[in-house]
Amino acid sequence: MPWMQGYPYYLIMGSVLSLYLGVSSYKYRNSPGRRYLWILMLIVGFIFAATAGEIMSSSFSSKLWWKNVQQIPLFFSNLYTYAVIKDYISRPARGLSRRLSFFAVPMVADAVLIFTDSYHHWMRSEVGINTVAGISGISVKPTVLSMIFISYAQLFCIVATVLLAAYLFRAPKKELRRNLLMLAGLLVPVVAVFLLPVLKITITGFTAFAIMPATLAAYLTLYRDPPASLNPVAQITIFENMKDGIILTNRNDRIIEINEAGELMLSELSGQSPETWLGRSIDSLLETHWDILTRYMHRTEGDFEIEFPRRAGTCYGVSLVSTDRDNIDDSGMLIILSDHSDKKRYERELVYQATVDDLTGLFNRRHFIQMVTSREIPEGAGIALLLFDIDDFKLINDTYGHIAGDHALITFSEEVQRTYKNRGICGRVGGEEFAVCFFASDKHMALEEAEAFRAKMCNHVVTLDKGQMIRLTVSIGLAYSEQSSVVFEDLYRHADEALYRSKTTGKNKVTFGEQSALRESVKSVTTG
Ligand code: GH3
Ligand code: MG
Ligand code: MG
C-alpha cells in the first residue's frame, strides 16, 4: 500500500495538529464547559507523537519504550474524554477535578506496572514485533490484569458517550446539531475498540486516529461554532436583556445589530414602528433629530441628552461611538440610547426644591440673589431693588391662626408674582419679607413703580380659608443704581436700611435708600 509509506508523517501531523489545538484552547481553561478540552487535545497529541516514536525507532528496546510511553496518554484520553463531556453537559460540574484525580489512581498504577513489566510480567504475557504493510510496532498479549485496567479506562469513554446521548434529549433544540456532531465523534473511538479486532486491523497507532474525530468534533463544536461558544452566548443574553438600546450601524448607515430595547427606543424616537429596525437605514429616523444626525454624520463621538418635543418629560441619553476610529470614513457607529426620563425628572425636582420656596412658589433667597446677580443690566437702564415686609403680620397669625397666616402669605405672593410676571424677579427672602428686582430708566421711575406697588398691595384683598377678608399693607425699602458695576450686597444693604426706616417711621410706605439720599422718603396714605 503506497499511501502507508507516509504513515509516520500522518502521525506526526496528527500530533502537531492536536498539540496546536490543545495550546490554542488553553485560554478557555477557566470557562465552564470547556475546562478539560485543552488537556484532552494535548493528550491526543502525545499519543500520536509516542506512536510515531514507536514506529520510527529502529531498535526493539526503544520501540518498546515508546510503546510504554504511549500507554499513559492512551489511558488518560479516556478519562479526559469523560471529563470534557461531564463538564460540557453539567456546567459547572462541581468537584469534578477532585473526582478525576481519584479516578486516575488506577491509571497511574497501570502505567507503573507497564513500565516495570519486564520484571514481573503481570501485564503482558508476550511481547514481540508486528509488521503490517511495512509498519512495524510492538505487539503484546495482555494479561487478565492488564485487560481489567484497559476495560477500566475504556469505561470512561463509554460512560461519556452514554451521558452525551442522554443529554441530547434535555439539551436545548438549537444545540442538537452540534451535540449530534460531538456524539458522532465520540462513537468513533468507542466503536473502534470493538470493531478493530473484528476487522483484524492491527496497524500500530490506529487508535490514535480513532480518537482524533472525537477531539476534532469537540473542538469544532465548543470553539468554532459561534452559538456554542460560551462568550457569545453570554453576550447575546446580556445584549438582549439590556435596558439600554444598542444600535450598530455599518459604514452605509444601515442598522446591522439592534437589541430589543433599541427597537422600542428607535420607534419611540421616530414615531414609526416597523416590525424591526434591523437592515433599515438610520438616516430617515435621524432626520427628525438633527442633534443626533449632525454628530452621527460627522462620526463625532460623545455623550449628550435629547428631549422629545412630542412627549414632555421623556429624555434619552445618547452615546455615539465610532466602530473604526482609525478609518472614520469607513466606520459605522455604535449608538447607545438610555432612558434618562426618571433621572431628569428627579434632577428637575431637586433643582426646584433648591431654588423655589415651597410655601409661596417664589424663588428662595439664595436663588433670588443668584438670579439678580447673573442678570445683565440693559443699556440705558438701572437696577431697582424693592425689599418689603408685611406690616403687623404677627397679628394675622395671632388673630386667625398660623394656617390662615400661611394662606395669606400664599395669596399675597401670588399677587406679587402676577404683578412682576414679565418684568421683574420676585423672591421670598425671609418669613414675611419679600424682594423684587426690576429695571427702571431712572430712580424716579423706580420710586413711582414702588409706590404703585405699595398702593396695589394695600388694596389687594386677601380672602382667608374661612371666608374672612383682610387687607395687608407693606413697608418698602427701595434701592436703585445705574452703574452696571453695582455690588448687589450694597444695593441690598441700602434697600434694607430704607425698609427699616419705613418700619420705624409709620409703616405702609416706600423709603428710597441711597447713601447720598437716604433721607429721601415718600410718605404714603395709609389705607386699610
Ligand atoms: P412688623 O410690621 O414690624 O413687620 O410686624 P410683624 O408682626 O410683621 O413682624 P414680626 O417680625 O414681629 O413678625 C413676623 C411674623 O411673621 C412672625 C412669624 O410668626 C410670622 N411668619 C413668618 N413666617 C411665617 C410663615 O411662613 N407662616 C406664617 N403663618 N407666619 C409666618
Ligand atoms: Mg412684618
Ligand atoms: Mg419681618
Side-chain angles (χ1 to χ4, degrees):
M1 279 185 278
W3 63 269
M4 285 300 287
Q5 278 157 20
Y7 190 67
Y9 302 104
Y10 305 150
L11 288 169
I12 290 168
M13 270 155 51
S15 172
V16 171
L17 177 64
S18 303
L19 292 176
Y20 166 75
L21 295 182
V23 170
S24 75
S25 44
Y26 173 74
K27 59 175 175 282
Y28 298 109
R29 68 195 178 283
N30 292 324
S31 333
R34 306 180 186 190
R35 284 181 295 199
Y36 299 102
L37 194 53
W38 69 279
I39 304 178
L40 179 62
M41 284 166 180
L42 291 184
I43 287 174
V44 175
F46 290 132
I47 299 174
F48 273 111
T51 312
E54 182 192 346
I55 289 169
M56 291 164 87
S57 302
S58 43
S59 77
F60 175 79
S61 60
S62 58
K63 270 185 192 295
L64 184 61
W65 187 83
W66 279 113
K67 173 81 176 176
N68 291 346
V69 167
Q70 186 197 104
Q71 297 309 300
I72 303 169
L74 212 49
F75 277 117
F76 279 94
S77 69
N78 291 290
L79 184 61
Y80 276 90
T81 302
Y82 164 79
V84 167
I85 297 300
K86 186 78 186 149
D87 188 42
Y88 171 66
I89 63 172
S90 54
R91 41 194 183 206
R94 278 176 225 287
L96 184 57
S97 55
R98 205 159 6 96
R99 254 180 292 153
L100 289 180
S101 15
F102 175 71
F103 291 149
V105 173
M107 295 181 181
V108 175
D110 185 25
V112 173
L113 287 175
I114 282 177
F115 271 92
T116 53
D117 187 68
S118 52
Y119 301 104
H120 47 64
H121 302 295
W122 290 353
M123 304 300 277
R124 291 161 178 169
S125 55
E126 242 180 79
V127 180
I129 292 251
N130 169 44
T131 306
V132 177
I135 308 296
S136 64
I138 299 289
S139 74
V140 295
K141 224 181 202 160
T143 61
V144 176
L145 178 65
S146 177
M147 288 301 279
I148 291 171
F149 276 118
I150 292 170
S151 313
Y152 171 77
Q154 281 172 351
L155 197 65
F156 286 98
C157 209
I158 293 166
V159 170
T161 314
V162 173
L163 284 177
L164 186 60
Y167 176 68
L168 282 184
F169 298 98
R170 60 189 163 90
K173 274 237 149 25
K174 60 177 185 200
E175 287 184 9
L176 186 69
R177 239 180 51 191
R178 66 178 146 106
N179 289 339
L180 277 175
L181 177 65
M182 208 155 22
L183 185 66
L186 249 181
L187 280 171
V188 177
V190 174
V191 172
V193 168
F194 301 101
L195 222 56
L196 291 186
V198 177
L199 296 177
K200 297 209 168 21
I201 296 177
T202 50
I203 301 173
T204 303
F206 209 82
T207 35
F209 287 103
I211 296 167
M212 198 62 186
T215 47
L216 269 179
Y219 183 82
L220 285 172
T221 53
L222 288 188
Y223 296 111
R224 288 282 162 242
D225 181 9
S229 83
L230 269 185
N231 282 346
V233 168
Q235 277 166 13
I236 289 165
T237 314
I238 294 166
F239 183 69
E240 278 312 325
N241 288 293
M242 273 182 87
K243 287 203 171 66
D244 287 349
I246 312 285
I247 301 125
L248 191 67
T249 62
N250 64 7
R251 58 189 294 258
N252 302 319
D253 308 326
R254 265 187 201 283
I255 299 172
I256 51 168
E257 195 71 83
I258 183 166
N259 67 351
E260 209 169 311
E263 296 268 9
L264 288 174
M265 286 165 135
L266 283 195
S267 299
E268 195 78 61
L269 261 175
S270 64
Q272 315 160 27
S273 26
E275 204 167 297
T276 177
W277 283 95
L278 199 66
R280 290 170 70 107
S281 167
I282 196 101
D283 306 5
S284 60
L285 156 78
L286 297 184
E287 265 167 20
T288 46
H289 289 276
W290 282 92
D291 29 9
I292 313 182
L293 185 66
T294 37
R295 289 174 209 236
Y296 176 89
M297 286 307 175
H298 293 107
R299 301 294 192 253
T300 312
E301 298 194 337
D303 302 323
F304 56 100
E305 281 185 338
I306 51 165
E307 301 203 26
F308 294 34
R310 284 186 298 112
R311 285 187 49 182
T314 310
C315 171
Y316 281 178
V318 184
S319 289
L320 293 179
V321 182
S322 156
T323 52
D324 186 356
R325 290 188 179 134
D326 299 330
N327 189 3
I328 288 294
D329 289 340
D330 273 346
S331 157
M333 282 300 246
L334 171 66
I335 307 171
I336 304 168
L337 299 174
S338 350
D339 194 342
H340 285 186
S341 308
D342 285 345
K343 188 187 104 186
K344 207 75 190 162
R345 212 168 298 131
Y346 187 60
E347 263 175 29
R348 278 198 205 103
E349 182 67 34
L350 281 182
V351 168
Y352 184 84
Q353 281 174 12
T355 56
V356 173
D357 169 55
D358 55 358
L359 181 73
T360 61
L362 298 178
F363 291 147
N364 61 21
R365 182 189 175 90
R366 190 164 46 97
H367 192 60
F368 170 79
I369 295 174
Q370 210 169 35
M371 291 292 283
V372 172
T373 47
S374 62
R375 189 64 53 101
E376 288 272 316
I377 302 176
E379 192 77 16
I383 185 165
L385 178 68
L386 282 188
L387 268 191
F388 52 95
D389 182 294
I390 303 177
D391 296 327
D392 304 315
F393 193 69
K394 204 166 175 303
L395 215 61
I396 306 281
N397 275 337
D398 294 346
T399 316
Y400 303 101
H402 208 266
I403 305 231
D406 277 358
H407 184 72
L409 282 177
I410 294 168
T411 48
F412 176 84
S413 303
E414 282 168 359
E415 185 60 14
V416 174
Q417 185 86 289
R418 252 195 306 277
T419 309
Y420 287 100
K421 191 167 180 223
N422 297 317
R423 54 198 185 94
I425 303 164
C426 313
R428 183 188 185 196
V429 293
E432 26 73 86
E433 273 178 53
F434 299 84
V436 172
C437 187
F438 57 89
F439 298 120
S441 48
D442 58 44
K443 72 174 181 184
H444 298 288
M445 288 284 291
L447 215 44
E448 265 177 40
E449 171 64 45
E451 179 49 32
F453 174 68
R454 188 203 58 76
K456 183 173 183 185
M457 293 320 288
C458 70
N459 284 324
H460 175 63
V461 178
V462 174
T463 309
L464 298 181
D465 268 355
K466 289 184 181 148
Q468 305 100 324
M469 299 204 324
I470 56 163
R471 282 170 198 265
L472 298 172
T473 63
V474 290
S475 299
I476 299 177
L478 170 67
Y480 177 80
S481 173
E482 280 176 355
Q483 292 163 13
S484 55
S485 60
V486 65
V487 178
F488 178 78
E489 281 76 16
D490 290 344
L491 207 63
Y492 196 93
R493 200 178 61 251
H494 296 161
D496 201 32
E497 284 166 0
L499 170 60
Y500 178 73
R501 283 175 59 81
S502 287
K503 280 286 185 201
T504 51
T505 56
K507 305 187 183 178
N508 189 17
K509 59 161 66 171
V510 178
T511 303
F512 189 76
E514 202 179 38
Q515 262 155 351
S516 57
L518 264 180
R519 276 158 285 126
E520 196 176 341
S521 69
V522 178
K523 177 74 189 140
S524 62
V525 187
T526 309
T527 52

